[in-house]
Amino acid sequence: MKSFHLTTRQIVFAALMIAATLVLEQLRIFHMPQGGSVTLGGMVPLILLAYLEGPVVGAIGGCLYGFLNMMQDPFILHPVQVLFDYPLPYMCMGLAGLWASHRVAATALAFAARFLCHFISGVVFFASYAPEGMNPAIYSIIFNATYLIPDFIICCIILKLLPVKRLFATLQK
């Protein structure tokens, strides 16, 4: 297994992006009853971390944020559900680092992977919340799409408006 070393700059930048995510995730437009919310670009700092430092550092930052999010706003039904609702979906935000030059596609990949984690959790652990007669998979798709699609759109708009290339040039000096 290849060894992996984080530089001091990477650790500091990751800590700043995780802190920014914690703050932005509190600026909620609406919050779903069993968890999940639309925010004012809460995932943008994690995506920027992945763009600048790559998918591995982005995934590490996402994992750390996932555990912090669990401590702030827990909705826990089962130990395995914790993995699919907290560290794994936010680790997926690191996938945006695979295509940093294609921001919308990279962000879409990250959100699609995050959606998949929440979808699995919804089908396996939240099926009892589905209305009577409704397929739990359909319920999970609708529930998770209700907050993830608007959050994705808001993040894409913010990433389009941010001077990302200039930001990267400044941070890489």
Side-chain angles (χ1 to χ4, degrees):
M1 192 165 160
K2 186 175 132 182
S3 65
F4 181 76
H5 301 284
L6 291 171
T7 65
T8 302
R9 190 188 71 71
Q10 288 174 317
I11 293 168
V12 170
F13 186 64
L16 288 171
M17 293 299 100
I18 292 167
T21 300
L22 282 167
V23 170
L24 289 172
E25 282 289 310
Q26 297 308 307
L27 303 175
R28 296 176 177 155
I29 296 170
F30 72 88
H31 187 69
M32 300 295 286
Q34 287 91 35
S37 54
V38 176
T39 65
L40 294 175
M43 291 294 109
V44 169
L46 288 181
I47 293 168
L48 289 175
L49 175 64
Y51 285 171
L52 186 63
E53 300 298 338
V56 174
V57 176
I60 291 168
C63 181
L64 292 172
Y65 168 74
F67 284 116
L68 291 171
N69 179 276
M70 180 180 64
M71 287 188 261
Q72 272 192 319
D73 194 15
F75 195 96
I76 299 171
L77 299 175
H78 189 274
V80 178
Q81 172 259 333
V82 168
L83 291 173
F84 281 95
D85 277 338
Y86 295 101
L88 290 178
Y90 298 108
M91 284 177 74
C92 291
M93 300 315 286
L95 293 173
L98 293 174
W99 292 319
S101 58
H102 302 287
R103 288 182 290 199
V104 174
T107 304
L109 173 66
F111 269 89
R114 179 179 168 196
F115 177 86
L116 183 62
C117 291
H118 290 305
F119 168 76
I120 291 168
S121 175
V123 170
V124 176
F125 300 104
F126 291 91
S128 63
Y129 289 94
E132 184 139 348
M134 182 179 234
N135 182 327
I138 300 298
Y139 173 73
S140 184
I141 288 170
I142 292 169
F143 182 89
N144 290 300
T146 301
Y147 70 93
L148 284 173
I149 290 173
D151 212 35
F152 164 70
I153 293 168
I154 291 167
C155 284
C156 284
I157 291 168
I158 291 170
L159 289 166
K160 277 289 194 193
L161 295 175
L162 281 177
V164 175
K165 287 181 184 175
R166 190 171 57 178
L167 230 164
F168 288 171
T170 303
L171 290 172
Q172 290 178 335
K173 288 183 181 177

